[in-house]
């Protein structure tokens, strides 16, 4: 009897994907990681980690007859759509590198190992960009969940800086504020700094209106 086999890929570099998770810190502040937003949230994972079957089975992930393993989506837009759900509003968006064996689906992948490259933290509960992590008020056994907060809302509360979270996680993780990529993001970006963008736009509109007024009235 012929056995069906999945097609094998040999990419030049590891695939990348996107997913949602909640940042967590161990009870002794010695480790950091992430808790998934679905059934995998019961097993927090590190910045670089290997998947374990959440059902306690002893097979390797990802097993064909199980839904265990890490999961991610191919498209950033699909992952951002998940943040619209009320249960995921405070989740952090992760950019991950897929390592080891994986199974590819139409919209995403299920795989054995991963490295979290970038953690994009959503806004503070007040709407301002997050600056630090604070206790989210819930957790798992041995782990406290964290959420992003602005400097004002974090005042007087125990908090963890983004840089400290990345350092404890191994140093190769980058933690930034905002779910979305900024236009031209990267070391080669030469875009106008955000604080100067709005005044420059208003000045351009004012100059255009003054030019139209001068043509109508004949004034220099």
């Amino acid at each position: 009897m012929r056995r069906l086999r999945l097609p094998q890929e040999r990419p030049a570099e590891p695939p990348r994907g996107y997913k949602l998770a909640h940042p967590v810190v161990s009870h002794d502040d010695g480790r950091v990681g992430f808790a998934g937003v679905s059934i995998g949230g019961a097993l927090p994972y590190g910045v670089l980690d290997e998947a374990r079957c959440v059902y306690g089975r002893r097979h390797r992930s990802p097993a064909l007859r199980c839904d265990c393993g890490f999961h991610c989506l191919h498209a950033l837009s699909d992952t951002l759509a998940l943040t619209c759900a009320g249960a995921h509003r405070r989740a952090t968006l992760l950019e991950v590198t897929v390592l080891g064996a994986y199974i590819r689906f139409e919209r995403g992948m299920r795989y054995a190992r991963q490295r979290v490259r970038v953690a994009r933290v959503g806004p503070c509960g007040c709407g301002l960009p997050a600056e630090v992590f604070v206790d989210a008020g819930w957790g798992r056994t041995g782990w406290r969940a964290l959420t992003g907060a602005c400097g004002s809302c974090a005042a007087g509360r125990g908090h963890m800086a983004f840089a400290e979270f990345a350092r404890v996680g191994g140093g190769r993780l980058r933690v930034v504020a905002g779910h979305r990529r900024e236009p031209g993001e990267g070391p080669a970006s030469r875009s106008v700094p955000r604080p100067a963008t709005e005044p420059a736009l208003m000045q351009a509109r004012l100059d255009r209106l003054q030019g139209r007024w001068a043509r109508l009235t004949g004034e220099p």
Side-chain angles (χ1 to χ4, degrees):
M1 180 178 178
R2 178 178 297 179
R3 298 180 60 184
L4 296 177
R5 294 185 178 183
L6 293 175
Q8 295 185 355
E9 298 183 21
R10 299 186 182 278
E13 59 181 22
R16 295 181 180 180
Y18 305 91
K19 62 192 304 180
L20 296 182
H22 297 284
V24 294
V25 60
S26 62
H27 64 93
D28 59 358
D29 296 331
R31 292 179 296 162
V32 298
F34 300 93
V37 297
S38 60
I39 189 171
L43 296 175
Y45 52 84
V47 175
L48 175 62
D49 212 337
E50 185 170 347
R52 303 178 298 280
C53 181
V54 71
Y55 304 107
R57 299 167 184 166
R58 296 185 178 180
H59 54 233
R60 292 184 178 181
S61 299
L64 289 177
R65 299 181 181 275
C66 187
D67 59 358
C68 62
F70 291 126
H71 295 73
C72 74
L73 294 172
H74 297 311
L76 175 60
S77 58
D78 289 342
T79 313
L80 286 173
L82 296 177
T83 63
C84 297
H88 301 156
R89 287 287 178 93
R90 304 312 305 272
T92 295
L93 191 151
L94 306 182
E95 298 182 21
V96 301
T97 298
V98 175
L99 303 172
Y102 60 85
I103 301 174
R104 186 183 293 274
F105 299 94
E106 181 180 358
R107 298 180 59 191
M109 308 174 74
R110 183 160 63 91
Y111 49 99
R113 299 178 66 238
Q114 75 176 5
R115 177 183 294 278
V116 181
R117 300 174 55 252
V118 184
R120 299 185 177 277
V121 186
C124 176
C126 69
L128 292 176
E131 301 176 46
V132 295
F133 285 127
V134 297
D135 195 317
W138 62 276
R140 301 282 185 260
T141 301
W143 298 88
R144 299 192 309 274
L146 303 175
T147 187
C150 67
S152 298
C153 293
R157 303 170 61 183
H159 61 268
M160 173 179 277
F162 290 166
E164 177 66 9
F165 186 94
R167 185 192 68 79
V168 176
R172 298 182 63 179
L173 171 68
R174 189 162 62 95
V175 184
V176 296
H179 279 157
R180 299 178 181 274
R181 291 175 178 268
E182 295 297 331
E185 180 179 300
S189 175
R190 297 184 178 181
S191 58
V192 178
R194 182 177 295 182
T197 302
E198 186 172 351
L201 179 60
M202 294 298 295
Q203 184 62 49
R205 291 177 177 174
L206 180 60
D207 291 343
R208 186 171 57 183
L209 289 174
Q210 288 178 335
R212 290 180 177 178
W213 178 258
R215 289 194 299 269
L216 290 173
T217 60
E219 296 179 359

